[in-house]
Amino acid sequence: MDTSLINPFLTATIHVLATMARIKPVPGKPFLKKNMLALGDVSAIIGITGAARGSMALTFSESTIKAITGNLLGIEATEINDELRDAVGELTNMICGDARRRLSEAGISLQAGIPTIVSGKNHSISHINNGPHLAIPFETPHGGFVVEVAFNKK
């Protein structure tokens, strides 16, 4: 998998969460994900086309997304509800947009679709491509989340 496509998504994740939610995520060791099972409680996936075809998914544990939305929106949620699901979709848009801007500066033009949000225990994430899916776990003081990126180069 081409790190020149992946690294902007990691940088964007850290930047967006630090500036918008005042939470500094710490990346863990990336790994190849071999199944579609989400590694959290609520996810958003967004399709990406252009110089490369693929998708990005963002999956949060319940405790992490509650803390992020608390900082981001000033709300205190007791469960994963519509506001939290909408926040995951919006964070996905922001991270993907920031990464696409960074890639554009490097001469790589990508377009993104509208995120699809899924929640619940043991939900699945279906990426657009059939190639490898790189998962990068992140830790915060409130719990973990995972960014998944999967691309097929044109």
Side-chain angles (χ1 to χ4, degrees), residues 31 33 37-41 43 59-61 123 125 135 145-146 148:
F31 62 94
K33 195 160 170 246
L37 189 63
L39 301 171
D41 302 309
S43 302
T59 300
F60 292 96
S61 69
H123 67 274
I125 298 172
F145 69 95
V146 177
E148 294 180 29

Side-chain angles (χ1 to χ4, degrees), residues 4 10 15 51 55 98:
S4 68
L10 305 181
H15 174 75
S55 52
D98 188 298

Side-chain angles (χ1 to χ4, degrees), residues 106-150:
I108 300 170
S109 177
L110 298 175
Q111 297 78 44
I114 297 170
T116 299
I117 295 99
V118 184
S119 63
K121 301 288 181 200
N122 299 317
H123 67 274
S124 62
I125 298 172
S126 230
H127 286 277
I128 292 171
N129 73 341
N130 294 326
H133 304 150
L134 187 66
I136 303 95
F138 284 84
E139 279 301 320
T140 75
H142 312 285
F145 69 95
V146 177
V147 174
E148 294 180 29
V149 185

Side-chain angles (χ1 to χ4, degrees), residues 53-139:
R53 183 175 183 268
S55 52
M56 181 201 107
L58 193 56
T59 300
F60 292 96
S61 69
E62 186 171 345
S63 61
T64 305
I65 194 58
K66 284 179 182 177
I68 288 170
T69 53
N71 288 0
L72 191 64
L73 305 173
I75 61 170
E76 207 165 306
T78 57
E79 64 183 355
I80 294 177
N81 56 25
D82 288 341
E83 288 176 321
L84 266 64
R85 284 186 282 274
D86 288 346
V88 173
E90 190 52 41
L91 286 166
T92 302
N93 272 329
M94 287 189 276
I95 291 167
C96 189
D98 188 298
R100 289 184 306 114
R101 178 190 55 79
R102 293 170 192 275
L103 286 163
S104 178
E105 291 170 358
I108 300 170
S109 177
L110 298 175
Q111 297 78 44
I114 297 170
T116 299
I117 295 99
V118 184
S119 63
K121 301 288 181 200
N122 299 317
H123 67 274
S124 62
I125 298 172
S126 230
H127 286 277
I128 292 171
N129 73 341
N130 294 326
H133 304 150
L134 187 66
I136 303 95
F138 284 84
E139 279 301 320

Side-chain angles (χ1 to χ4, degrees), residues 8-23 25 94-95 98 101-102:
F9 286 90
L10 305 181
T11 303
T13 299
I14 293 166
H15 174 75
V16 167
L17 288 175
T19 57
M20 301 303 292
R22 298 176 314 279
I23 291 176
M94 287 189 276
I95 291 167
D98 188 298
R101 178 190 55 79
R102 293 170 192 275

